[in-house]
Amino acid sequence: MPPSPTLKHFILKQQVLDLYRHVIRASRAIPDLATRKETVAWIRSDFERNKHVEDVAMIEDALKVARREIKRILPHSNDC
């Protein structure tokens, strides 16, 4: 039986959801519709791929990587 989620898990889950929402909103600034759809699909698949990660350190690392990638891809997205 898997261990029960800790408070840290709930906090990280909220941070992940906030980041996902932020990225989806920031992607609206991409002028080309096809590029925007492709970017959103890529972001969604990346989040989906990591949704079963339970290790706190791995989640924190994934958040750091995601934030760095988002700043690289969506440079106008400064507050993530």
Side-chain angles (χ1 to χ4, degrees), residues 8 20 55 64:
K8 185 70 173 174
Y20 181 77
D55 180 36
K64 288 177 191 173

Side-chain angles (χ1 to χ4, degrees), residues 14-28:
Q14 189 60 49
Q15 289 177 359
V16 169
L17 290 172
D18 289 344
L19 180 63
Y20 181 77
R21 288 181 190 118
H22 172 76
V23 173
I24 298 302
R25 285 186 201 109
S27 71
R28 293 178 189 154

Side-chain angles (χ1 to χ4, degrees), residues 44 49 56 64 71 74:
R44 183 181 175 106
R49 182 172 43 102
V56 170
K64 288 177 191 173
K71 285 180 183 176
L74 302 169

